[in-house]
Amino acid sequence: MRMEKLKGERTLFAGVTCNNADMKLFLVSLVLFCSLVILIVQFLPSEITICSSTTYKWSWPQSPPHNVSSAIRSLMKEELTSDSVVKRALNAVGSAAYLFIQMGAYRGGPNSFAVVGLASKPLHVFAKPRFICEWLPLTFHGDDNSSVTASGHTILPDWGYGRVYTVVVVNCTFAVDVGADGTGGCLVLRATTGGGSDRAAETEERFIAMEETPGSVNVTMFSTPPKYDCLYCGSPLYGDLSPQRVREWIAYHANLFGLKSHFVIHDAGGVHRDVMEVLRPWMEKGLLTLQDVREQERFDGYYHNQFLVLNDCLHRYKFMAKWIFVFDMDEFIYLPSETKLEPLLESFSGYTQFTIEQMPMSNTLCQFKDYGKTSRMWGIEKLVYRDARRKVRRDHKYAIQPRSASATGVHLSQNVAGPSLSETGGRIKYFHYHGTLAMRRDPCRELLNATKIFFDNTPYVLDETLRSVAGEVRMFELKMIGPRLAHTRE
């Protein structure tokens, strides 16, 4: 009996041993199989097409970027026609550019508006997109005839410089006054593709471009004298700008234009902390407005969307200034000592715009007599050598009476009512210190002891015109804002 029991235990032990060996073999095989599957999956595409019209997407542990949207689309199939011709299918996915990107919308009168924005350049070059303007009074309920419509007139003011996007100014002029009584309403814009993105389909987007609350419109602003004699519309500022150069420029032109002027600065990434400290005293004085336009960097236009910013500034301040000046922050407007700005502008009042002659200055040549002092001098004091080449085409800058302009450019407006003046007889010029605005060091690289010199294949002559007025500008700055900026660095 005992022998049989031991024999049974040995049999059970052998069975358990055999089962354990089988289990180990099974587990090893399972691990090898899973490893092989993982290895194969790593080399598979993220999308596996099961059939021509259905796509299944693998679900990966990593989620797509937050700004990327995805959707599964069914593909159109090829077809064999009755004539045995293979009819191919083209499958369109996504959108290459926005139909319209609005920056601002402004009244141009009792019955007119201007909407400023960007639009797809290929669409406006190769197609015929249309804009329909619609005015809806605040009392509009959708079932009456109180709404008014008009065709939008488009202006492309960037002279073909646009990239993915081009600047578009849409002028909406209605046959009757709309909202001029102050009852409120909204301007609705309908933008179409004009068959440019897909000739088989006409796409339209309808959006509110502008809203007016009751009592917000005062039509007398269109006929009363403007608040400012001169207003500066600045191009977008970007890069690592020199606070000292910005300081000099503002003090100089605030002194030149006077207290009935205003400066509109557009920050496209160039107004860092030190530059902001230079702007702040003038903002507190009410002479300067800073606008953050960094958002426009999302959209690929010409030169930080310079044309967009300038056209928005033109229409935004159209009825607030008699003259709008357009030039850059490394350029200094100059009037001869016998010329005063107010009578000069009055003599140009019969012209819608006038151009300003350029005087290009070296951005590296200084005088030897200033050795050891240049770090304490202003740029207009130490950079005193002017490019003396003759018969060279040079850029002009300009000033414009905004009430007579429907759009504008960088060097001139091509959309004005009235004559333009291209020669001012030397009564107004601008000195251009190219590249110095983004120079965070003392610009003096060559110290000279000559009145004429030939440097880098360019003739230069000594010109101390702006140096002679630097002292006056320093005193003006001290009077206006005190010594707050005395320790500003390059």
Side-chain angles (χ1 to χ4, degrees):
M1 185 72 178
R2 178 179 176 83
M3 291 298 294
E4 290 178 356
K5 184 177 181 181
L6 290 174
K7 184 177 180 181
E9 290 178 352
R10 285 196 298 270
T11 303
L12 178 63
F13 177 78
V16 170
T17 303
C18 181
N19 289 340
N20 286 342
D22 292 341
M23 181 64 69
K24 289 180 180 178
L25 180 61
F26 172 78
L27 292 176
V28 170
S29 301
L30 181 62
V31 169
L32 291 175
F33 176 78
C34 292
S35 301
L36 182 61
V37 169
I38 293 174
L39 183 64
I40 294 173
V41 167
Q42 288 179 347
F43 292 96
L44 286 177
S46 60
E47 292 186 355
I48 298 180
T49 302
I50 307 301
C51 64
S52 61
S53 61
T54 307
T55 299
Y56 293 92
K57 189 175 182 66
W58 283 93
S59 178
W60 298 101
Q62 297 85 0
S63 59
H66 70 279
N67 60 341
V68 176
S69 60
S70 59
I72 300 176
R73 293 175 176 267
S74 297
L75 300 181
M76 296 174 61
K77 299 179 181 180
E78 296 179 2
E79 295 180 2
L80 186 65
T81 68
S82 58
D83 295 330
S84 299
V85 177
V86 177
K87 181 177 175 59
R88 301 294 302 275
L90 276 71
N91 291 277
V93 179
S95 300
Y98 293 106
L99 182 57
F100 190 73
I101 304 163
Q102 180 179 318
M103 183 172 184
Y106 310 99
R107 264 195 180 270
N111 68 327
S112 65
F113 300 83
V115 184
V116 183
L118 296 170
S120 166
K121 182 177 180 178
L123 196 64
H124 281 266
V125 172
F126 299 109
K128 295 180 180 180
R130 296 176 294 109
F131 291 90
I132 305 297
C133 310
E134 186 177 6
W135 175 260
L136 303 179
L138 202 61
T139 56
F140 180 74
H141 298 292
D143 55 355
D144 55 28
N145 296 321
S146 58
S147 65
V148 183
T149 60
S151 295
H153 171 65
T154 58
I155 303 172
L156 308 180
D158 63 7
W159 301 357
Y161 282 113
R163 292 165 57 88
V164 173
Y165 292 102
T166 190
V167 179
V168 177
V169 177
V170 182
N171 178 274
C172 297
T173 301
F174 297 95
V176 296
D177 292 352
V178 290
D181 56 359
T183 55
C186 63
L187 175 68
V188 175
L189 207 60
R190 289 155 51 191
T192 69
T193 57
S197 57
D198 187 346
R199 293 177 183 175
E202 175 75 281
T203 303
E204 178 181 289
E205 295 288 344
R206 188 169 182 260
F207 59 94
I208 296 176
M210 182 180 181
E211 293 182 272
E212 291 181 344
T213 58
S216 62
V217 175
N218 181 7
V219 293
T220 61
M221 66 178 291
F222 305 125
S223 56
T224 55
K227 179 179 180 180
Y228 304 114
D229 290 338
C230 302
L231 185 135
Y232 170 75
C233 280
S235 294
L237 295 180
Y238 64 95
D240 189 15
L241 304 186
S242 166
Q244 177 59 27
R245 298 289 89 78
V246 175
R247 172 198 178 189
E248 299 169 15
W249 186 92
I250 294 176
Y252 178 94
H253 288 97
N255 182 49
L256 175 68
F257 289 143
L259 298 182
K260 286 197 67 177
S261 64
H262 196 76
F263 299 85
V264 181
I265 307 299
H266 299 95
D267 174 22
V271 180
H272 51 77
R273 183 183 62 182
D274 294 338
V275 172
M276 187 64 191
E277 291 305 309
V278 171
L279 301 180
R280 195 181 309 279
W282 301 101
M283 294 169 65
E284 293 171 357
K285 285 285 184 181
L287 264 70
L288 187 147
T289 295
L290 176 63
Q291 295 185 10
D292 183 344
V293 296
R294 301 185 187 199
E295 183 74 3
Q296 54 76 31
E297 295 289 340
R298 293 172 49 199
F299 310 108
D300 186 19
Y302 171 76
Y303 206 71
H304 303 270
N305 286 302
Q306 185 179 25
F307 284 91
L308 172 68
V309 168
L310 291 178
N311 276 278
D312 180 82
C313 188
L314 172 79
H315 288 284
R316 189 182 187 91
Y317 297 97
K318 189 169 190 173
F319 299 98
M320 295 184 66
K322 185 173 182 180
W323 289 96
I324 285 181
F325 281 76
V326 180
F327 59 103
D328 295 330
M329 240 186 203
D330 57 359
E331 299 166 344
F332 289 70
I333 303 295
Y334 174 75
L335 307 179
S337 57
E338 68 276 6
T339 304
K340 302 300 179 184
L341 184 61
E342 186 175 353
L344 177 69
L345 295 179
E346 184 61 32
S347 69
F348 294 156
S349 61
Y351 298 95
T352 299
Q353 63 182 343
F354 64 87
T355 58
I356 307 171
E357 179 185 357
Q358 183 192 95
M359 309 294 285
M361 302 294 289
S362 167
N363 58 11
T364 59
L365 303 182
C366 302
Q367 283 188 292
F368 185 78
K369 70 178 184 179
D370 295 327
Y371 175 75
K373 300 183 295 183
T374 57
S375 62
R376 301 187 300 274
M377 300 173 68
W378 284 19
I380 59 175
E381 290 180 289
K382 54 191 175 186
L383 294 170
V384 290
Y385 284 91
R386 175 171 52 83
D387 184 338
R389 286 178 295 176
R390 298 178 180 273
K391 297 182 180 180
V392 176
R393 183 191 174 278
R394 304 192 190 282
D395 287 334
H396 288 69
K397 293 302 167 70
Y398 70 104
I400 190 169
Q401 297 197 61
R403 298 191 184 198
S404 299
S406 52
T408 197
V410 175
H411 300 286
L412 196 69
S413 172
Q414 293 182 325
N415 305 98
V416 295
S420 300
L421 179 64
S422 58
E423 293 293 338
T424 61
R427 288 180 289 172
I428 183 169
K429 306 175 183 179
Y430 75 94
F431 286 80
H432 187 195
Y433 300 84
H434 180 71
T436 57
L437 186 60
M439 200 177 291
R440 298 297 304 273
R441 56 170 174 77
D442 188 342
C444 294
R445 284 295 174 263
E446 298 287 339
L447 299 178
L448 309 176
N449 195 17
T451 57
K452 295 181 180 181
I453 189 172
F454 206 78
F455 186 81
D456 282 348
N457 298 320
T458 302
Y460 290 93
V461 297
L462 183 66
D463 189 332
E464 298 183 293
T465 301
L466 293 195
R467 180 177 181 136
S468 65
V469 300
E472 175 189 334
V473 176
R474 286 176 181 266
M475 293 300 296
F476 172 79
E477 181 195 64
L478 187 63
K479 176 183 176 182
M480 290 294 295
I481 61 174
R484 295 174 60 175
L485 305 180
H487 300 290
T488 303
R489 296 186 176 183
E490 302 276 0

